[in-house]
Amino acid sequence: MSGLPTVLAIGETMGLLTPDPLVALERASTLRLDIGGAESNVASHLAHLGVPSGWASAVGDDPIGRRVRATLGERGVDTRWVVVDPSAPTGVYFKDPGPDGTRVVYYRAGSAASQLGPAFADTLPLAEVPCVHLTGITGALSDSCRALVAAIIGRREAAGLPVSYDVNHRPSLWPSRDEAARRLRAEASRCDIVFVGLDEAHALWGTESADDVRDLLREPAVLVVKDGERAAYAFDSSGRFVEPTSAIEVVEPVGAGDAFAAGYLAGVLAGGSTEDALRTGHDRARAVLMSLGDF
């Protein structure tokens, strides 16, 4: 690939193990090996929708790291900004289905991606690509990753270019809810297109409705609030928009939010209306909800 992608997603991708068939992890006898990471999920869906996308991160010099790069390359994602760290492993995580939903079990402490810092921003075309996509996961991985996120957002601000940001609150990565609430709000307030689930906004900030979330996050030019199986809301300079979802049989929910974000971004980048972008987001999310994998 010679030209730059339209969207560059930055963040950790890991090996993903899912019980197949879907049973509690402690009772599983067979696991399906795939890859998963919020940012590369977005890049994968964008590539599938015809939007040139890239993914930047670090992986270990190990079989899982090689599988991550190969799989994303096969999906049409530009991986030229991925570094291989021989001193740290590629992270892995497990899906643990249960009666109250799917829990995610991480083994990512000390991973190659968690070692990244602000110097990594120097290697990226941050003043050139039209859109950069981040999530709140990256800054929770380590102090150096937190500094990396700040450097990326700062460079995009200086260049007058947008940042897309999915809050993606992962409680197990944070020392406390209060710290997560403070830092995720601070990061989101500096970005241009922000995605957040109504349930995670309630858990973080105590908001009850999509309008409450907008009252809290006034800074982003675009705010998209996802209300699970009911609807998605978008707030921008044109006003407030709502697009209901349609009823489907959910197989497994993890990764649907990433698919929605990619669909929405693809709709916006194609020049469609806000309503069209919300509908494209729902279409991509449905595809993930009806499958075992994140993509």
Side-chain angles (χ1 to χ4, degrees), residues 123-177:
T123 70
L124 306 177
L126 297 176
E128 301 166 74
V129 294
C131 182
V132 162
H133 180 74
L134 300 171
T135 79
I137 297 170
T138 302
L141 297 180
S142 64
D143 289 342
S144 63
C145 281
R146 178 184 179 185
L148 169 62
V149 170
I152 292 169
I153 294 174
R155 295 201 181 189
R156 296 293 287 182
E157 288 174 333
L161 293 169
V163 175
S164 166
Y165 181 89
D166 195 329
V167 170
N168 258 332
H169 177 219
R170 298 291 186 266
S172 63
L173 298 179
W174 293 93
S176 70
R177 185 200 65 82

Short mmCIF file of all heavy atoms in Angstrom, two decimals, residues 123-177:
data_model
loop_
_atom_site.label_atom_id
_atom_site.label_comp_id
_atom_site.label_asym_id
_atom_site.label_seq_id
_atom_site.Cartn_x
_atom_site.Cartn_y
_atom_site.Cartn_z
N THR A 123 6.21 8.38 14.87
CA THR A 123 6.32 7.48 13.71
C THR A 123 5.05 7.46 12.86
O THR A 123 5.03 6.79 11.82
CB THR A 123 6.62 6.04 14.18
OG1 THR A 123 5.45 5.49 14.83
CG2 THR A 123 7.79 6.01 15.15
N LEU A 124 4.01 8.16 13.29
CA LEU A 124 2.71 8.08 12.64
C LEU A 124 2.40 9.33 11.82
O LEU A 124 2.81 10.43 12.20
CB LEU A 124 1.62 7.88 13.71
CG LEU A 124 1.81 6.71 14.68
CD1 LEU A 124 0.70 6.70 15.71
CD2 LEU A 124 1.86 5.40 13.92
N PRO A 125 1.67 9.19 10.73
CA PRO A 125 1.33 10.34 9.87
C PRO A 125 0.15 11.14 10.43
O PRO A 125 -0.88 11.33 9.77
CB PRO A 125 1.00 9.68 8.53
CG PRO A 125 0.41 8.36 8.91
CD PRO A 125 1.18 7.92 10.14
N LEU A 126 0.29 11.64 11.64
CA LEU A 126 -0.84 12.25 12.34
C LEU A 126 -1.27 13.59 11.75
O LEU A 126 -2.40 14.02 11.95
CB LEU A 126 -0.50 12.43 13.82
CG LEU A 126 -0.24 11.13 14.58
CD1 LEU A 126 0.20 11.42 16.01
CD2 LEU A 126 -1.48 10.25 14.59
N ALA A 127 -0.39 14.25 11.02
CA ALA A 127 -0.73 15.52 10.39
C ALA A 127 -1.22 15.34 8.96
O ALA A 127 -1.45 16.33 8.26
CB ALA A 127 0.47 16.46 10.41
N GLU A 128 -1.41 14.06 8.55
CA GLU A 128 -1.74 13.81 7.15
C GLU A 128 -3.02 12.99 6.96
O GLU A 128 -3.79 13.27 6.04
CB GLU A 128 -0.58 13.08 6.47
CG GLU A 128 0.73 13.87 6.51
CD GLU A 128 1.91 12.98 6.14
OE1 GLU A 128 2.05 12.67 4.94
OE2 GLU A 128 2.67 12.59 7.05
N VAL A 129 -3.25 11.97 7.78
CA VAL A 129 -4.43 11.14 7.55
C VAL A 129 -5.69 11.93 7.90
O VAL A 129 -5.72 12.70 8.87
CB VAL A 129 -4.37 9.83 8.37
CG1 VAL A 129 -3.24 8.95 7.88
CG2 VAL A 129 -4.25 10.10 9.85
N PRO A 130 -6.76 11.76 7.12
CA PRO A 130 -7.98 12.54 7.37
C PRO A 130 -8.63 12.29 8.73
O PRO A 130 -9.17 13.21 9.32
CB PRO A 130 -8.92 12.09 6.23
CG PRO A 130 -7.99 11.66 5.14
CD PRO A 130 -6.83 11.02 5.84
N CYS A 131 -8.58 11.04 9.23
CA CYS A 131 -9.23 10.74 10.50
C CYS A 131 -8.39 9.75 11.30
O CYS A 131 -7.87 8.79 10.74
CB CYS A 131 -10.63 10.15 10.25
SG CYS A 131 -11.57 9.79 11.77
N VAL A 132 -8.26 9.99 12.59
CA VAL A 132 -7.62 9.06 13.52
C VAL A 132 -8.69 8.56 14.48
O VAL A 132 -9.52 9.33 14.97
CB VAL A 132 -6.47 9.75 14.28
CG1 VAL A 132 -6.10 8.97 15.54
CG2 VAL A 132 -5.26 9.90 13.39
N HIS A 133 -8.66 7.25 14.75
CA HIS A 133 -9.63 6.67 15.69
C HIS A 133 -8.91 6.11 16.90
O HIS A 133 -7.96 5.32 16.77
CB HIS A 133 -10.44 5.56 15.01
CG HIS A 133 -11.45 4.93 15.92
ND1 HIS A 133 -12.62 5.57 16.28
CD2 HIS A 133 -11.46 3.72 16.57
CE1 HIS A 133 -13.32 4.79 17.09
NE2 HIS A 133 -12.64 3.67 17.30
N LEU A 134 -9.38 6.51 18.09
CA LEU A 134 -8.83 6.05 19.37
C LEU A 134 -9.97 5.52 20.23
O LEU A 134 -11.14 5.76 19.95
CB LEU A 134 -8.16 7.20 20.11
CG LEU A 134 -6.98 7.91 19.46
CD1 LEU A 134 -6.62 9.16 20.27
CD2 LEU A 134 -5.78 6.98 19.34
N THR A 135 -9.60 4.84 21.32
CA THR A 135 -10.59 4.46 22.33
C THR A 135 -10.03 4.74 23.70
O THR A 135 -8.82 4.92 23.90
CB THR A 135 -10.99 2.97 22.24
OG1 THR A 135 -9.97 2.18 22.86
CG2 THR A 135 -11.22 2.52 20.81
N GLY A 136 -10.94 4.72 24.69
CA GLY A 136 -10.52 4.92 26.06
C GLY A 136 -9.76 3.76 26.65
O GLY A 136 -9.25 3.85 27.78
N ILE A 137 -9.65 2.66 25.92
CA ILE A 137 -8.91 1.50 26.41
C ILE A 137 -7.42 1.80 26.47
O ILE A 137 -6.74 1.45 27.44
CB ILE A 137 -9.17 0.28 25.51
CG1 ILE A 137 -10.64 -0.13 25.55
CG2 ILE A 137 -8.28 -0.90 25.91
CD1 ILE A 137 -11.04 -1.16 24.52
N THR A 138 -6.90 2.46 25.44
CA THR A 138 -5.45 2.62 25.32
C THR A 138 -4.84 3.35 26.51
O THR A 138 -3.84 2.91 27.08
CB THR A 138 -5.11 3.34 24.01
OG1 THR A 138 -5.64 2.59 22.91
CG2 THR A 138 -3.60 3.47 23.83
N GLY A 139 -5.45 4.45 26.90
CA GLY A 139 -4.90 5.22 28.01
C GLY A 139 -4.95 4.50 29.34
O GLY A 139 -4.27 4.89 30.30
N ALA A 140 -5.76 3.43 29.42
CA ALA A 140 -5.87 2.66 30.66
C ALA A 140 -4.81 1.57 30.76
O ALA A 140 -4.67 0.95 31.83
CB ALA A 140 -7.26 2.03 30.77
N LEU A 141 -4.07 1.31 29.69
CA LEU A 141 -3.13 0.19 29.68
C LEU A 141 -1.87 0.46 30.50
O LEU A 141 -1.31 -0.46 31.11
CB LEU A 141 -2.73 -0.16 28.24
CG LEU A 141 -3.86 -0.64 27.32
CD1 LEU A 141 -3.30 -0.94 25.93
CD2 LEU A 141 -4.54 -1.88 27.90
N SER A 142 -1.41 1.70 30.51
CA SER A 142 -0.18 2.04 31.23
C SER A 142 -0.03 3.55 31.23
O SER A 142 -0.70 4.27 30.47
CB SER A 142 1.05 1.40 30.56
OG SER A 142 1.23 1.95 29.25
N ASP A 143 0.87 4.06 32.07
CA ASP A 143 1.14 5.50 32.08
C ASP A 143 1.70 5.96 30.75
O ASP A 143 1.38 7.05 30.27
CB ASP A 143 2.12 5.84 33.20
CG ASP A 143 1.49 5.72 34.59
OD1 ASP A 143 0.24 5.71 34.68
OD2 ASP A 143 2.26 5.62 35.57
N SER A 144 2.55 5.13 30.14
CA SER A 144 3.14 5.53 28.86
C SER A 144 2.08 5.57 27.76
O SER A 144 2.12 6.44 26.88
CB SER A 144 4.29 4.58 28.47
OG SER A 144 3.81 3.25 28.28
N CYS A 145 1.11 4.66 27.81
CA CYS A 145 0.03 4.68 26.82
C CYS A 145 -0.87 5.90 27.03
O CYS A 145 -1.37 6.49 26.07
CB CYS A 145 -0.79 3.40 26.90
SG CYS A 145 -0.03 1.98 26.07
N ARG A 146 -1.06 6.27 28.29
CA ARG A 146 -1.83 7.49 28.57
C ARG A 146 -1.15 8.69 27.93
O ARG A 146 -1.80 9.55 27.32
CB ARG A 146 -1.96 7.67 30.07
CG ARG A 146 -2.71 8.92 30.49
CD ARG A 146 -2.70 9.05 32.01
NE ARG A 146 -3.39 10.25 32.45
CZ ARG A 146 -3.44 10.66 33.70
NH1 ARG A 146 -2.85 9.94 34.66
NH2 ARG A 146 -4.09 11.75 34.02
N ALA A 147 0.17 8.75 28.05
CA ALA A 147 0.92 9.86 27.45
C ALA A 147 0.86 9.78 25.92
O ALA A 147 0.84 10.82 25.24
CB ALA A 147 2.38 9.82 27.93
N LEU A 148 0.84 8.57 25.38
CA LEU A 148 0.71 8.41 23.93
C LEU A 148 -0.61 9.00 23.43
O LEU A 148 -0.65 9.72 22.43
CB LEU A 148 0.80 6.93 23.56
CG LEU A 148 0.44 6.57 22.11
CD1 LEU A 148 1.37 7.24 21.12
CD2 LEU A 148 0.45 5.05 21.92
N VAL A 149 -1.70 8.67 24.12
CA VAL A 149 -3.01 9.20 23.72
C VAL A 149 -3.00 10.73 23.75
O VAL A 149 -3.49 11.39 22.82
CB VAL A 149 -4.12 8.64 24.63
CG1 VAL A 149 -5.45 9.35 24.37
CG2 VAL A 149 -4.28 7.14 24.39
N ALA A 150 -2.44 11.30 24.80
CA ALA A 150 -2.38 12.76 24.90
C ALA A 150 -1.57 13.36 23.77
O ALA A 150 -1.94 14.40 23.20
CB ALA A 150 -1.78 13.16 26.25
N ALA A 151 -0.47 12.69 23.40
CA ALA A 151 0.38 13.19 22.31
C ALA A 151 -0.37 13.13 20.98
O ALA A 151 -0.30 14.06 20.17
CB ALA A 151 1.66 12.37 22.24
N ILE A 152 -1.09 12.04 20.74
CA ILE A 152 -1.83 11.90 19.48
C ILE A 152 -2.90 12.98 19.37
O ILE A 152 -3.02 13.66 18.34
CB ILE A 152 -2.46 10.50 19.38
CG1 ILE A 152 -1.36 9.44 19.23
CG2 ILE A 152 -3.44 10.43 18.21
CD1 ILE A 152 -1.87 8.01 19.40
N ILE A 153 -3.69 13.15 20.43
CA ILE A 153 -4.75 14.15 20.40
C ILE A 153 -4.15 15.55 20.22
O ILE A 153 -4.66 16.37 19.44
CB ILE A 153 -5.61 14.08 21.67
CG1 ILE A 153 -6.36 12.74 21.71
CG2 ILE A 153 -6.60 15.23 21.73
CD1 ILE A 153 -7.12 12.50 23.01
N GLY A 154 -3.05 15.83 20.91
CA GLY A 154 -2.41 17.14 20.79
C GLY A 154 -1.92 17.42 19.38
O GLY A 154 -2.09 18.55 18.88
N ARG A 155 -1.37 16.43 18.73
CA ARG A 155 -0.88 16.64 17.36
C ARG A 155 -2.02 16.83 16.38
O ARG A 155 -1.91 17.62 15.44
CB ARG A 155 0.01 15.47 16.95
CG ARG A 155 1.26 15.39 17.78
CD ARG A 155 2.35 14.63 17.12
NE ARG A 155 3.51 14.58 18.00
CZ ARG A 155 4.68 14.12 17.63
NH1 ARG A 155 4.86 13.67 16.40
NH2 ARG A 155 5.69 14.10 18.48
N ARG A 156 -3.10 16.12 16.60
CA ARG A 156 -4.26 16.30 15.73
C ARG A 156 -4.87 17.70 15.95
O ARG A 156 -5.29 18.36 14.99
CB ARG A 156 -5.30 15.23 16.01
CG ARG A 156 -4.83 13.82 15.69
CD ARG A 156 -4.62 13.60 14.21
NE ARG A 156 -5.90 13.50 13.50
CZ ARG A 156 -6.00 13.27 12.18
NH1 ARG A 156 -4.92 13.16 11.44
NH2 ARG A 156 -7.19 13.19 11.62
N GLU A 157 -4.93 18.14 17.18
CA GLU A 157 -5.42 19.49 17.46
C GLU A 157 -4.55 20.53 16.75
O GLU A 157 -5.07 21.48 16.14
CB GLU A 157 -5.43 19.76 18.96
CG GLU A 157 -6.52 19.01 19.73
CD GLU A 157 -6.40 19.19 21.22
OE1 GLU A 157 -5.27 19.44 21.72
OE2 GLU A 157 -7.43 19.08 21.91
N ALA A 158 -3.24 20.35 16.83
CA ALA A 158 -2.33 21.31 16.21
C ALA A 158 -2.49 21.33 14.69
O ALA A 158 -2.31 22.38 14.06
CB ALA A 158 -0.89 20.96 16.59
N ALA A 159 -2.81 20.19 14.11
CA ALA A 159 -2.98 20.10 12.66
C ALA A 159 -4.38 20.47 12.21
O ALA A 159 -4.66 20.54 11.01
CB ALA A 159 -2.65 18.68 12.19
N GLY A 160 -5.29 20.69 13.17
CA GLY A 160 -6.67 21.01 12.83
C GLY A 160 -7.41 19.86 12.19
O GLY A 160 -8.30 20.05 11.36
N LEU A 161 -7.08 18.63 12.62
CA LEU A 161 -7.66 17.43 12.03
C LEU A 161 -8.43 16.65 13.10
O LEU A 161 -8.08 16.67 14.28
CB LEU A 161 -6.57 16.54 11.43
CG LEU A 161 -5.86 17.13 10.20
CD1 LEU A 161 -4.62 16.31 9.84
CD2 LEU A 161 -6.82 17.21 9.01
N PRO A 162 -9.47 15.92 12.71
CA PRO A 162 -10.36 15.31 13.70
C PRO A 162 -9.84 14.02 14.31
O PRO A 162 -9.08 13.27 13.69
CB PRO A 162 -11.64 15.04 12.89
CG PRO A 162 -11.15 14.83 11.49
CD PRO A 162 -9.99 15.78 11.33
N VAL A 163 -10.30 13.77 15.52
CA VAL A 163 -10.09 12.51 16.22
C VAL A 163 -11.45 11.90 16.52
O VAL A 163 -12.32 12.56 17.08
CB VAL A 163 -9.30 12.70 17.52
CG1 VAL A 163 -9.21 11.37 18.30
CG2 VAL A 163 -7.91 13.25 17.26
N SER A 164 -11.62 10.64 16.13
CA SER A 164 -12.78 9.85 16.52
C SER A 164 -12.40 9.07 17.78
O SER A 164 -11.31 8.50 17.85
CB SER A 164 -13.17 8.91 15.38
OG SER A 164 -14.06 7.91 15.81
N TYR A 165 -13.31 9.02 18.75
CA TYR A 165 -12.97 8.45 20.06
C TYR A 165 -14.16 7.67 20.60
O TYR A 165 -15.26 8.22 20.73
CB TYR A 165 -12.59 9.58 21.02
CG TYR A 165 -12.19 9.16 22.41
CD1 TYR A 165 -10.88 8.86 22.72
CD2 TYR A 165 -13.13 9.11 23.44
CE1 TYR A 165 -10.50 8.51 24.01
CE2 TYR A 165 -12.77 8.75 24.73
CZ TYR A 165 -11.44 8.46 25.01
OH TYR A 165 -11.07 8.12 26.28
N ASP A 166 -13.94 6.41 20.91
CA ASP A 166 -14.96 5.58 21.55
C ASP A 166 -14.58 5.43 23.02
O ASP A 166 -13.48 4.93 23.32
CB ASP A 166 -15.05 4.22 20.87
CG ASP A 166 -16.32 3.46 21.23
OD1 ASP A 166 -16.82 3.64 22.36
OD2 ASP A 166 -16.81 2.68 20.40
N VAL A 167 -15.45 5.82 23.92
CA VAL A 167 -15.14 5.79 25.36
C VAL A 167 -14.73 4.38 25.80
O VAL A 167 -13.76 4.22 26.54
CB VAL A 167 -16.34 6.31 26.18
CG1 VAL A 167 -16.11 6.05 27.67
CG2 VAL A 167 -16.54 7.79 25.92
N ASN A 168 -15.47 3.36 25.41
CA ASN A 168 -15.08 1.96 25.66
C ASN A 168 -14.55 1.74 27.07
O ASN A 168 -13.42 1.29 27.28
CB ASN A 168 -14.02 1.52 24.64
CG ASN A 168 -14.59 0.67 23.52
OD1 ASN A 168 -15.59 -0.03 23.71
ND2 ASN A 168 -13.98 0.72 22.37
N HIS A 169 -15.38 2.01 28.05
CA HIS A 169 -14.98 1.83 29.44
C HIS A 169 -14.81 0.35 29.75
O HIS A 169 -15.74 -0.43 29.60
CB HIS A 169 -16.05 2.43 30.35
CG HIS A 169 -15.79 2.25 31.80
ND1 HIS A 169 -16.77 1.95 32.73
CD2 HIS A 169 -14.63 2.32 32.52
CE1 HIS A 169 -16.25 1.86 33.92
NE2 HIS A 169 -14.96 2.07 33.83
N ARG A 170 -13.61 -0.03 30.19
CA ARG A 170 -13.31 -1.40 30.60
C ARG A 170 -12.96 -1.37 32.08
O ARG A 170 -11.81 -1.10 32.45
CB ARG A 170 -12.14 -1.98 29.78
CG ARG A 170 -12.41 -2.07 28.29
CD ARG A 170 -13.45 -3.13 27.98
NE ARG A 170 -13.63 -3.33 26.56
CZ ARG A 170 -14.54 -2.73 25.81
NH1 ARG A 170 -15.37 -1.87 26.37
NH2 ARG A 170 -14.62 -2.99 24.51
N PRO A 171 -13.92 -1.61 32.98
CA PRO A 171 -13.68 -1.43 34.42
C PRO A 171 -12.47 -2.18 34.95
O PRO A 171 -11.77 -1.68 35.84
CB PRO A 171 -14.98 -1.96 35.05
CG PRO A 171 -16.02 -1.74 34.00
CD PRO A 171 -15.32 -1.99 32.69
N SER A 172 -12.19 -3.38 34.41
CA SER A 172 -11.09 -4.17 34.95
C SER A 172 -9.72 -3.54 34.67
O SER A 172 -8.72 -3.94 35.30
CB SER A 172 -11.13 -5.59 34.36
OG SER A 172 -10.95 -5.56 32.96
N LEU A 173 -9.65 -2.57 33.78
CA LEU A 173 -8.37 -1.93 33.47
C LEU A 173 -8.09 -0.70 34.33
O LEU A 173 -6.99 -0.15 34.28
CB LEU A 173 -8.34 -1.51 31.99
CG LEU A 173 -8.45 -2.63 30.95
CD1 LEU A 173 -8.44 -2.04 29.55
CD2 LEU A 173 -7.32 -3.64 31.12
N TRP A 174 -9.07 -0.29 35.13
CA TRP A 174 -8.94 0.95 35.88
C TRP A 174 -8.83 0.68 37.38
O TRP A 174 -9.46 -0.22 37.90
CB TRP A 174 -10.16 1.84 35.64
CG TRP A 174 -10.24 2.35 34.23
CD1 TRP A 174 -10.91 1.79 33.19
CD2 TRP A 174 -9.61 3.53 33.73
NE1 TRP A 174 -10.74 2.54 32.06
CE2 TRP A 174 -9.95 3.62 32.35
CE3 TRP A 174 -8.81 4.52 34.29
CZ2 TRP A 174 -9.51 4.66 31.55
CZ3 TRP A 174 -8.37 5.56 33.48
CH2 TRP A 174 -8.71 5.63 32.13
N PRO A 175 -8.04 1.49 38.11
CA PRO A 175 -7.93 1.30 39.56
C PRO A 175 -9.20 1.68 40.31
O PRO A 175 -9.45 1.17 41.39
CB PRO A 175 -6.76 2.22 39.95
CG PRO A 175 -6.67 3.23 38.85
CD PRO A 175 -7.11 2.52 37.60
N SER A 176 -10.00 2.59 39.73
CA SER A 176 -11.25 2.98 40.38
C SER A 176 -12.19 3.58 39.35
O SER A 176 -11.76 4.06 38.29
CB SER A 176 -10.99 4.02 41.48
OG SER A 176 -10.60 5.26 40.92
N ARG A 177 -13.48 3.56 39.67
CA ARG A 177 -14.46 4.17 38.78
C ARG A 177 -14.25 5.67 38.69
O ARG A 177 -14.38 6.27 37.61
CB ARG A 177 -15.88 3.87 39.28
CG ARG A 177 -16.99 4.38 38.34
CD ARG A 177 -18.31 4.52 39.05
NE ARG A 177 -18.27 5.55 40.08
CZ ARG A 177 -18.41 6.86 39.85
NH1 ARG A 177 -18.62 7.28 38.62
NH2 ARG A 177 -18.36 7.72 40.83
#
